[in-house]
Amino acid sequence: MNISANSRNALAYIISGDTIPDKQKALSPYRGMKEIRNFLYDFGVTGLISTEADLSRYNYTLEKLRQLNGTDNIRLIINQALDFWTQDFDTEAAAVYLDGFLRRDGFQVSLKKRYIRMNGNEAEYEDYYEVESLNMPTLHTISLISLDKEYITEHIEKARTKIDAGDCAGAITSAYTLVEGFLKELLKQTQTSYRRDEGDIRELYKLVSEPLNLNPKGENLESYLKNILQGLKSQISGLYELANKASDRHARRYNPARHHAKLAVNAAFCLCEFLLDSYNYQRERAERKQAL
């Protein structure tokens, strides 16, 4: 995704939370330099080099956006930058401001809804914003998920780096994002239908458990395996609840402790590694059957 200098300028204001000159106010929460670096870390930006040490928060953000321009990460950054809901700021105002620039580049910012939870028999949803192309019905995400252990390890190490830097909420977000993306990629690979905007890993895991034969109610499973698989469902549910309350995906209800973040990251590692092994096992099993 390639955006103009004007759009990059507007996006830098949203990411940094700086006052926008022609608005005479900020439209998004303030981020310090450390928070900006943590925000950009998941999109391939690492560390400060000596020539960047004296840059302001805004100019540092602008320079990194210039370097990333033309990659799919730009679209992902815009989506993430607009994923905030606080009492002090109007997310819609930030989305409208950015949309005014992006439309000149052939893109638009659209309001969407994503599933949160079931409240009795009623499904609850929340609003979020997503960039779409004006030239296509939907600008789909290019999958960045790779079904291999190297990818899992790399993503987990990034999350652990956030813990070491004191960004426990960001580490929990990274753990959740890894599991969500991994489940969606497994659903694609197993040709299982799912909603692309589904953000509830409990629902995604429920779908993927069938093709991977992970349903704890399976008739051919031993009782001890059923107990373990039921435990995996509980892990998924626990990570979902923790991410909702203590990550930076939403307005946090409390600041997570370091050991809670480590638990989330380690759980994500175990879950993804097990899912990968289960996927490879089922695939090899199917190939052996075809060979007979």
Side-chain angles (χ1 to χ4, degrees):
M1 178 176 176
N2 200 304
I3 60 176
S4 65
N6 287 335
S7 292
R8 297 198 299 274
N9 292 340
L11 179 56
Y13 281 120
I14 300 301
I15 293 173
S16 64
D18 271 5
T19 298
I20 300 173
D22 60 343
K23 298 287 184 182
Q24 297 299 308
K25 63 178 182 180
L27 297 179
S28 56
Y30 176 92
R31 284 189 174 94
M33 181 64 84
K34 180 179 178 181
E35 292 174 303
I36 291 172
R37 289 166 57 193
N38 287 339
F39 175 86
L40 294 172
Y41 188 87
D42 285 339
F43 305 103
V45 175
T46 57
L48 276 170
I49 60 175
S50 58
T51 56
E52 297 169 339
D54 295 328
L55 290 178
S56 67
R57 297 162 32 262
Y58 171 80
N59 286 328
Y60 171 79
T61 305
L62 196 59
E63 173 59 20
K64 293 307 178 183
L65 291 177
R66 185 191 66 79
Q67 294 174 12
L68 292 169
N69 198 30
T71 71
D72 192 60
N73 278 339
I74 287 291
R75 188 181 56 76
L76 299 175
I77 287 172
I78 295 172
N79 292 345
Q80 186 65 27
L82 291 173
D83 196 8
F84 67 88
W85 302 90
T86 71
Q87 295 180 345
D88 299 326
F89 293 95
D90 182 359
T91 312
E92 181 180 1
V96 170
Y97 171 73
L98 196 53
D99 182 75
F101 294 94
L102 290 173
R103 282 182 176 272
R104 300 169 192 171
D105 299 332
F107 302 95
Q108 65 181 357
V109 178
S110 300
L111 181 63
K112 305 282 188 177
K113 288 189 178 294
R114 59 187 167 206
Y115 172 85
I116 306 176
R117 64 180 70 86
M118 291 298 297
N119 185 1
N121 294 325
E122 296 293 326
E124 293 184 358
Y125 297 87
E126 69 175 0
D127 294 337
Y128 73 100
Y129 290 95
E130 186 175 271
V131 178
E132 295 179 344
S133 171
L134 288 172
N135 301 317
M136 295 182 292
T138 304
L139 184 65
H140 294 301
T141 304
I142 298 175
S143 174
L144 300 178
I145 302 296
S146 175
L147 294 182
D148 58 58
K149 293 188 178 181
E150 288 74 17
Y151 174 85
I152 299 172
T153 301
E154 178 184 355
H155 200 95
I156 290 298
E157 287 307 313
K158 288 181 179 180
R160 287 173 176 160
T161 299
K162 288 187 176 182
I163 294 175
D164 292 339
D167 183 13
C168 294
I172 294 173
T173 298
S174 294
Y176 190 95
T177 301
L178 170 62
V179 174
E180 179 184 342
F182 212 76
L183 288 168
K184 286 182 176 180
E185 186 61 25
L186 287 170
L187 289 168
K188 291 177 188 177
Q189 296 298 327
T190 57
Q191 299 181 349
T192 305
S193 298
Y194 72 99
R195 282 176 41 198
R196 294 183 65 88
D197 62 348
E198 179 63 81
D200 188 337
I201 58 175
R202 299 171 303 179
E203 296 299 318
L204 295 171
Y205 181 77
K206 187 186 300 181
L207 291 173
V208 87
S209 64
E210 295 302 325
L212 297 190
N213 197 26
L214 300 178
N215 189 338
K217 295 182 180 179
E219 296 180 358
N220 297 324
L221 291 175
E222 297 289 345
S223 60
Y224 62 87
L225 287 178
K226 291 183 178 182
N227 290 335
I228 292 175
L229 293 177
Q230 187 61 47
L232 286 176
K233 287 184 63 177
S234 297
Q235 272 192 295
I236 289 284
S237 181
L239 181 57
Y240 173 84
E241 294 295 338
L242 179 61
N244 269 356
K245 296 177 181 178
S247 74
D248 54 13
R249 297 174 67 243
H250 313 288
R252 293 198 295 276
R253 299 184 192 178
Y254 69 90
N255 292 319
R258 178 185 175 89
H259 62 286
H260 291 161
K262 288 179 66 177
L263 177 63
V265 171
N266 290 335
F269 175 77
C270 292
L271 283 166
C272 289
E273 189 173 46
F274 176 75
L275 289 170
L276 175 61
D277 289 342
S278 297
Y279 167 72
N280 287 333
Y281 173 80
Q282 295 297 337
R283 185 181 59 178
E284 292 168 3
R285 184 182 181 188
E287 289 174 353
R288 287 196 299 270
K289 285 185 176 180
Q290 291 180 351
L292 294 178

